[in-house]
Amino acid sequence: TLPQLTQALEETLAQMAHDGETPDVITFAGNGEPTASPIFPEAIAVARQLRDRWCPSARIAVLSNGSHADRPRVHEALMDVEDNILKLDTVDAEYIQALDRPVGAYDVSHQVETFASFGGRVIVQTIFLAGTANGRDMGNTGERYVGPWLQALERIHPRGVTVYTIARDTPEQGLRKASPEVLDGIGARVRALGIPCSVSY
């Protein structure tokens, strides 16, 4: 509930301030989609108020799959955070169904337009993979995927892009990391569009 969140966050931030160890970032993430919570907008407002009181230099970040970002109250709340990080693994609808397995309808074109509606106040996060899952080639580093994804970035015009690959074992044993060389090449293409890009191996 919102009162429980408020109390827990304030106690934590107050203790950290007392110890002289204030956070750099307050992040909304976790198992599940944070923006699906009915109290998400209010939670962001509370976090901003408590941040301003106890650790004004800290940023507020949201890690989201963007599936609710078109809802007016969610959109408004995301506009109020410093790091609005939205996931876009590809613009290939079939691939998204295989990799992300979204619940309910998922329209890639609508997602791109929603991300663009933030007017640059968004960071796009994309995972690149190699290997297979359920007998399907899950590599998404080829031009079939990267070219249209770059076009989507031009439309969205985010203030940054984060490119990464798997960092731990996955339920699908056939999946593998994309190589550093390939990731660096993709990052260079993003930067060539004038968009800052960080790459993690």
Side-chain angles (χ1 to χ4, degrees):
T1 67
L2 190 62
Q4 290 173 323
L5 169 70
T6 302
Q7 180 179 351
L9 182 58
E10 179 150 38
E11 288 176 353
T12 299
L13 294 180
Q15 185 63 52
M16 293 181 75
H18 179 268
D19 295 340
E21 299 177 351
T22 54
D24 295 322
V25 184
I26 300 170
T27 303
F28 286 76
N31 294 326
E33 171 53 36
T35 63
S37 169
I39 64 167
F40 174 75
E42 291 80 8
I44 292 295
V46 164
R48 284 171 54 83
Q49 292 168 2
L50 296 178
R51 182 273 308 274
D52 292 347
R53 181 183 307 166
W54 295 106
C55 49
S57 64
R59 304 175 68 82
I60 297 177
V62 177
L63 299 177
S64 169
N65 64 20
S67 60
H68 299 287
D70 61 345
R71 298 181 179 181
R73 294 180 70 242
V74 172
H75 191 283
E76 183 179 354
L78 290 173
M79 287 289 285
D80 278 342
V81 304
E82 284 75 27
D83 297 323
N84 171 28
I85 306 168
L86 302 183
K87 191 172 178 62
L88 185 69
D89 288 331
T90 176
V91 293
D92 184 287
E94 182 184 357
Y95 186 92
I96 287 175
Q97 289 296 326
L99 177 67
D100 297 323
R101 300 171 187 169
V103 176
Y106 184 93
D107 183 327
V108 177
S109 297
H110 178 72
Q111 289 300 103
V112 170
E113 291 306 309
T114 297
F115 289 14
S117 73
F118 286 98
R121 289 182 61 86
V122 60
I123 298 169
V124 171
Q125 183 183 69
T126 302
I127 190 168
F128 287 98
L129 303 169
T132 61
N134 296 320
R136 176 196 169 111
D137 181 1
M138 294 302 292
N140 64 336
T141 61
E143 191 60 27
R144 170 187 170 184
Y145 297 105
V146 175
W149 174 76
L150 290 169
Q151 291 176 358
L153 293 182
E154 289 186 280
R155 172 71 184 110
I156 297 167
H157 201 70
R159 69 175 178 85
V161 172
T162 300
V163 166
Y164 70 110
T165 191
I166 52 178
R168 59 184 67 89
D169 291 338
T170 69
E172 299 292 345
Q173 296 303 309
L175 290 177
R176 301 194 313 275
K177 289 175 176 281
S179 73
E181 294 78 15
V182 167
L183 293 174
D184 284 340
I186 292 171
R189 294 181 67 180
V190 174
R191 296 183 198 105
L193 300 176
I195 302 170
C197 182
S198 64
V199 178
S200 298
Y201 310 130

